[in-house]
């Protein structure tokens, strides 16, 4: 008899049970070190520079890195977190201390996870650098997804287009025109090449104060840019697959670096699909900053901005005040959010 195909729900349940079993296993493994009071020094301040599945690397105020366990009571510890931690009197199984508490976050960058609900990726960020590239193809839809996240979290965004060394003059002009859509609505944009170093000085100048994070698809060259800025870091990079045209998810955990000219930079792993289904439709609408001026002036209060009569947004598009590509992407985001919502019920 042919094997019956699993439904989405069944697949999700299997994955979820599997993840829970792994988590139990991890917790048991963690229990192996039961830090006793007298084994630990005084509490001190630190910052999380990398979060792994079972532990985290904490940087002390003296700039030393300590691999730490996490108290089981802590619900979320991410790169960028300011923490209170205690060093062990000695190293146990490669672990040098324990994180006791996470200080309140100034802000955080989160994304919905298919199985695990909302996942915080990093915290205390001053600037999000959306890295895109001409290989894999430049996708304005992905840029828009990130921009909605940046607007919702109220974190300034910069759009960087990498690998421009691969473009002919004509393609370069075309890419410039696409980036102009974003400049016109007030976003800073930059065309760069980690390979040739083109415009790298502009990027480093931008990063020289506050904490920035590189986000973007796998393979766009985030870690290559880190290496270009700080060759001594020697971050791992991976080729874009010739078959699929996609990145290989080379970076596996986010990592915070101190830049020589000042400022902090977080390199993050590429994400296959940056979903927006944790947001309400009107949050997505608010995530389009150039729409704000027109919102509330549509004829109908529940205007969907599609074929509704006297839609102020559509009129603005017709009058050249809103770029049609942004308007189209907006409707694609709303639609994909609705499709995801109906297929997936996820716990928040
Ligand atoms: N031609 C060209 N190739 C580049 C440039 N920057 C990066 N690459 C190449 O792009 C590929 C992917 O680079 P990575 O730096 O690993 O990309 P990433 O964004 O860190 O990817 P993940 O860690 O998987 O998220 C590598 O083969 C790099 O050599 C560039 O400016 N020009
Ligand atoms: Mg990387
Ligand atoms: Zn409308």
């Amino acid at each position: 008899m042919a094997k019956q195909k699993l439904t989405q729900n069944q697949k999700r349940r299997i994955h979820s049970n599997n993840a829970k079993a792994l988590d139990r296993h991890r917790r048991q493994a963690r229990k192996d070190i039961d830090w006793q009071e007298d084994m630990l020094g005084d509490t001190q301040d630190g910052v999380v520079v990398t979060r792994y599945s079972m532990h985290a690397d904490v940087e002390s105020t003296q700039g030393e890195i300590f691999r730490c366990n996490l108290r089981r009571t802590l619900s979320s510890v991410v790169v960028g977190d300011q923490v209170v931690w205690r060093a062990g009197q000695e190293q146990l199984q490669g672990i040098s201390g324990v994180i006791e508490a996470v200080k309140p976050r100034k802000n955080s960058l989160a994304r919905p996870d298919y199985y695990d609900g909302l996942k915080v990726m990093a915290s205390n960020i001053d600037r999000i650098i959306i890295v895109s590239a001409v290989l894999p193809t430049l996708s304005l839809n992905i840029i828009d997804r990130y921009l909605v996240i940046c607007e919702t979290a109220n974190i300034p965004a910069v759009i960087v287009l990498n690998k421009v060394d691969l473009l002919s003059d004509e393609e370069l002009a075309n890419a410039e025109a696409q980036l102009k859509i974003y400049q016109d609505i007030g976003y800073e944009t930059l065309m760069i090449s980690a390979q040739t170093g083109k415009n790298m000085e502009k990027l480093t100048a931008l990063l020289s104060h506050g904490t920035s994070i590189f986000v973007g698809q796998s393979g766009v060259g985030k870690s290559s840019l880190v290496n270009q800025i700080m060759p001594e870091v020697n971050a791992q990079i991976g080729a874009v697959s010739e078959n699929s045209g996609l990145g290989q998810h080379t970076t596996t955990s986010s990592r915070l670096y101190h830049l020589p000219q000042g400022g902090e930079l977080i390199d993050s792993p590429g994400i296959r699909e940056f979903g927006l289904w944790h947001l309400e439709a009107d949050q997505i609408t608010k995530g389009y900053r150039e729409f704000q001026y027109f919102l509330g002036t549509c004829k109908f209060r529940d205007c969907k901005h599609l074929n509704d009569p006297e839609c102020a947004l559509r009129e603005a598009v017709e009058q050249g005040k809103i770029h049609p590509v942004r308007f189209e992407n907006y409707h694609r985001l709303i639609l994909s959010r609705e499709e995801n919502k109906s297929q997936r019920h996820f716990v928040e």
Side-chain angles (χ1 to χ4, degrees):
M1 203 173 74
K3 233 182 177 179
Q4 240 186 331
K5 261 190 145 180
L6 296 174
T7 64
Q8 279 297 333
N9 260 341
Q10 284 168 323
K11 277 191 212 161
R12 189 165 32 228
R13 210 171 310 129
I14 291 167
H15 182 98
S16 164
N17 286 341
N18 195 45
K20 276 182 196 149
L22 282 176
D23 194 49
R24 268 197 303 277
H25 172 71
R26 279 194 203 120
R27 281 167 191 272
Q28 269 160 17
R30 219 184 281 167
K31 232 185 265 168
D32 289 346
I33 311 175
D34 239 337
W35 293 104
Q36 306 294 322
E37 268 305 300
D38 58 358
M39 295 161 74
L40 292 165
D42 291 339
T43 54
Q44 48 180 315
D45 290 337
V47 60
V48 175
V49 291
T50 309
R51 170 67 209 271
Y52 302 97
S53 57
M54 282 160 63
H55 40 253
D57 283 351
V58 173
E59 191 184 67
S60 70
T61 43
Q62 282 82 35
E64 258 184 290
I65 309 278
F66 294 80
R67 185 148 296 178
C68 290
N69 284 132
L70 321 173
R71 284 284 183 217
R72 259 165 268 148
T73 44
L74 297 175
S75 60
S76 158
V77 177
V78 298
V79 65
D81 272 340
Q82 300 285 343
V83 295
V84 173
W85 68 287
R86 294 169 77 183
Q89 311 290 14
E90 56 180 322
Q91 210 183 50
L92 293 174
Q93 296 163 36
I95 303 291
S96 311
V98 61
I99 298 177
E100 300 277 358
V102 177
K103 294 187 187 171
R105 294 171 177 155
K106 176 169 86 178
N107 58 27
S108 61
L109 180 61
R111 69 179 179 95
D113 181 84
Y114 192 113
Y115 304 104
D116 298 333
L118 203 62
K119 233 189 172 131
V120 179
M121 298 160 55
S123 71
N124 304 320
I125 303 155
D126 297 302
R127 188 178 307 106
I128 296 178
I129 312 285
I130 304 171
V131 184
S132 55
V134 298
L135 177 83
T137 40
L138 168 60
S139 162
L140 302 192
N141 190 266
I142 293 178
I143 292 180
D144 282 5
R145 278 173 189 266
Y146 280 115
L147 286 176
V148 168
I149 295 289
C150 298
E151 294 289 339
T152 308
N154 203 15
I155 303 173
V158 176
I159 300 161
V160 164
L161 179 61
N162 187 30
K163 308 195 192 181
V164 294
D165 54 281
L166 296 174
L167 297 180
S168 65
D169 287 350
E170 193 187 325
E171 288 167 330
L172 207 58
N174 187 23
E176 253 162 25
Q178 291 184 289
L179 287 189
K180 186 157 185 310
I181 299 174
Y182 297 96
Q183 286 161 17
D184 287 347
I185 50 175
Y187 290 111
E188 196 158 352
T189 71
L190 210 49
M191 288 176 121
I192 56 174
S193 166
Q195 189 138 310
T196 65
K198 181 182 172 177
N199 281 339
M200 282 305 295
E201 70 293 348
K202 290 191 182 154
L203 179 64
T204 42
L206 252 170
L207 304 175
S208 64
H209 57 98
T211 301
S212 308
I213 182 168
F214 282 164
V215 297
Q217 271 180 299
S218 177
V220 293
K222 299 178 293 297
S223 304
S224 304
L225 291 169
V226 169
N227 285 343
Q228 184 46 260
I229 299 166
M230 293 169 287
E232 67 281 8
V233 160
N234 203 10
Q236 212 188 337
I237 63 167
V240 172
S241 155
E242 284 191 20
N243 287 333
S244 65
L246 297 172
Q248 313 267 6
H249 295 273
T250 308
T251 305
T252 49
S253 22
S254 296
R255 169 96 205 245
L256 183 142
Y257 301 99
H258 299 283
L259 298 168
Q261 79 277 19
E264 278 77 43
L265 174 61
I266 301 171
D267 185 17
S268 78
I271 291 157
R272 201 168 301 277
E273 190 208 320
F274 204 113
L276 293 180
W277 20 284
H278 59 305
L279 299 179
E280 294 301 325
D282 76 320
Q283 285 180 295
I284 296 183
T285 317
K286 288 202 185 92
Y288 277 75
R289 55 159 62 162
E290 74 277 34
F291 292 8
Q292 303 321 301
Y293 178 79
F294 305 99
L295 288 175
T297 60
C298 298
K299 178 166 184 179
F300 295 104
R301 274 190 58 191
D302 61 347
C303 184
K304 294 276 181 283
H305 320 302
L306 283 164
N307 294 318
D308 317 58
E310 292 176 50
C311 167
L313 287 187
R314 220 186 47 243
E315 282 165 12
V317 174
E318 282 155 15
Q319 290 162 10
K321 292 175 182 161
I322 289 176
H323 200 284
V325 167
R326 288 271 288 171
F327 195 55
E328 215 173 280
N329 276 344
Y330 163 72
H331 283 299
R332 275 168 63 188
L333 290 194
I334 294 284
L335 197 68
S336 82
R337 177 191 164 275
E338 279 163 12
E339 282 167 359
N340 277 316
K341 276 255 180 239
S342 59
Q343 278 170 17
R344 304 164 181 191
H345 60 99
F346 76 102
V347 272
E348 221 169 283

